[in-house]
Amino acid sequence: MSTRPRRRPRMRQSRLLRLLDRLEREPRADAVIDAVRKGMRALPLGDGRDVLHGRWLGHPVHPLMVQVPIGSWLSAAVLDLYPGRSREAGLLVGVGLASAVPAALAG
């Protein structure tokens, strides 16, 4: 019997994870993100900003609002697995897209 410790096999990182990691570390993306953030904050929303941020509720509404697009898209992905359900899946994708705009504005 050997007393040498066994080597654990190294887990290979998938190509997608490596690509996402490189994208996250890309310094040029920071300038684009900062420009979009400044543009969003410069929008003259007035009282609409307070409504979107949930001041009337006393709690941010963004976490609640993102459930609709995420749930719609996840449900559409499940329906795509069943033949003959492409119409329903397309409807759910549309609901997700329509609800993503107010959810993004609230965030």
Side-chain angles (χ1 to χ4, degrees), residues 15-26:
R15 289 182 193 173
L16 178 62
L17 289 177
R18 281 184 281 160
L19 175 68
L20 290 174
D21 189 50
R22 269 195 319 206
L23 182 62
E24 179 185 9
R25 296 176 194 280
E26 179 59 48

Side-chain angles (χ1 to χ4, degrees), residues 16-79:
L16 178 62
L17 289 177
R18 281 184 281 160
L19 175 68
L20 290 174
D21 189 50
R22 269 195 319 206
L23 182 62
E24 179 185 9
R25 296 176 194 280
E26 179 59 48
R28 292 178 288 188
D30 293 338
V32 173
I33 292 168
D34 289 340
V36 169
R37 182 181 301 133
K38 286 178 186 175
M40 290 299 292
R41 289 188 177 161
L43 288 174
L45 294 177
D47 290 336
R49 183 181 307 270
D50 291 341
V51 169
L52 287 173
H53 284 214
R55 291 207 176 124
W56 55 275
L57 183 62
H59 190 279
V61 293
H62 175 76
L64 174 66
M65 293 178 76
V66 297
Q67 299 303 311
V68 176
I70 291 172
S72 297
W73 293 329
L74 181 62
S75 299
V78 170
L79 284 178

Side-chain angles (χ1 to χ4, degrees), residues 87-98:
R87 181 172 181 242
E88 292 87 353
L91 178 66
L92 285 169
V93 168
V95 167
L97 288 172

